[in-house]
Amino acid sequence: MDEQVLRSLIKWPNVPDCFGWLALDRRGHWRMRDEFAQKNQLPGQVIQHAALNAFISRNYACDTLGRYFFQNGPQRVFISLDATPWIARINPCDQGWELGTQCGVSIDPSAALSDERGNIYIVGLINKTIYEYLDSRSFTKERSPSVALLHDHDLVHFSEFVKLREEACSFGGSWIWHEKQLPLEPIHSNELGARFNYITKPTENPLS
């Protein structure tokens, strides 16, 4: 998180939080959702400005309740998630391939999941910035387990690593990543939020 953002929190600690105006779609795009988009349940406009996208990505964090947000100076802009807090891409690198998120953060995978719609989710360690719900100026950084929806453009590539077996509502098996065999297990999409502690539609009073 940017140092200037942390300093602004100390200078203006009581700026109201913002809800509903920013979203993360299934392809890792940040979307601005104005009042018309919110009222009509539209996805909103993709943010095209490169510097703004980078600023959001650097200051992307979550609280201990599982709400993800963009720390915009002293204001916390909570993000509506179309799927998961992270969108995974398979990218070329010196070692062959690597997994990264929409924020450019690496994923150290331990498993993958497949849901009832054929979506693939990567489970692994991701560097996250976390703040304590009761102390909005207390941020910590940790590398902890999380889940990322695999971008649909990478599904065919992922299939090259997989050995499948049929399951009741999806499919399972294993996949090879950097010469390691990792599990591929079925899951229902409704189970993801509770299992990986994230809220797709954050609200102002999540405990009420």
Side-chain angles (χ1 to χ4, degrees), residues 101-165:
T101 73
Q102 80 278 2
C103 295
V105 178
S106 67
I107 305 173
D108 183 12
S110 57
L113 303 169
S114 65
D115 71 8
E116 71 282 1
R117 297 184 182 90
N119 296 309
I120 296 295
Y121 304 89
I122 304 298
V123 179
L125 297 177
I126 299 177
N127 286 333
K128 293 188 284 188
T129 301
I130 303 172
Y131 99 94
E132 171 57 50
Y133 174 61
L134 298 177
D135 183 0
S136 61
R137 290 177 293 176
S138 178
F139 286 84
T140 60
K141 291 184 178 181
E142 63 178 57
R143 191 161 180 82
S144 58
S146 193
V147 64
L149 173 69
L150 183 65
H151 195 293
D152 57 6
H153 286 180
D154 292 332
L155 289 172
V156 173
H157 191 29
F158 180 80
S159 69
E160 299 172 2
F161 307 132
V162 174
K163 296 180 180 179
L164 296 179
R165 66 171 185 273

Side-chain angles (χ1 to χ4, degrees), residues 112-120 162-175 182-188 191:
L113 303 169
S114 65
D115 71 8
E116 71 282 1
R117 297 184 182 90
N119 296 309
I120 296 295
V162 174
K163 296 180 180 179
L164 296 179
R165 66 171 185 273
E166 293 186 3
E167 300 285 353
C169 62
S170 183
F171 56 85
S174 62
W175 56 298
L182 304 176
L184 171 63
E185 300 173 347
I187 193 171
H188 196 282
E191 302 172 24

Side-chain angles (χ1 to χ4, degrees), residues 42-149:
L42 299 174
Q45 295 294 317
V46 173
I47 297 175
Q48 303 284 356
H49 195 282
L52 179 54
N53 278 309
F55 182 54
I56 294 172
S57 296
R58 289 197 310 272
N59 295 284
Y60 185 52
C62 66
D63 64 21
T64 49
L65 299 178
R67 301 181 302 172
Y68 280 74
F69 60 88
F70 156 48
Q71 190 67 53
N72 184 22
Q75 185 175 53
R76 191 157 293 130
V77 182
F78 284 90
I79 297 175
S80 300
L81 305 172
D82 281 1
T84 56
W86 309 96
I87 306 301
R89 296 303 310 261
I90 301 175
N91 301 312
C93 68
D94 292 341
Q95 291 73 39
W97 301 100
E98 64 180 0
L99 282 160
T101 73
Q102 80 278 2
C103 295
V105 178
S106 67
I107 305 173
D108 183 12
S110 57
L113 303 169
S114 65
D115 71 8
E116 71 282 1
R117 297 184 182 90
N119 296 309
I120 296 295
Y121 304 89
I122 304 298
V123 179
L125 297 177
I126 299 177
N127 286 333
K128 293 188 284 188
T129 301
I130 303 172
Y131 99 94
E132 171 57 50
Y133 174 61
L134 298 177
D135 183 0
S136 61
R137 290 177 293 176
S138 178
F139 286 84
T140 60
K141 291 184 178 181
E142 63 178 57
R143 191 161 180 82
S144 58
S146 193
V147 64
L149 173 69

Side-chain angles (χ1 to χ4, degrees), residues 9-20:
L9 279 169
I10 297 172
K11 188 173 182 179
W12 297 289
N14 298 314
V15 176
D17 295 335
C18 177
F19 293 87

Side-chain angles (χ1 to χ4, degrees), residues 20-25 29-38 42-49 52-53 56:
W21 287 79
L22 190 63
L24 176 67
D25 72 15
H29 297 133
W30 306 111
R31 288 180 176 266
M32 188 67 68
R33 303 181 70 246
D34 59 16
E35 291 182 355
F36 182 83
Q38 294 177 52
L42 299 174
Q45 295 294 317
V46 173
I47 297 175
Q48 303 284 356
H49 195 282
L52 179 54
N53 278 309
I56 294 172

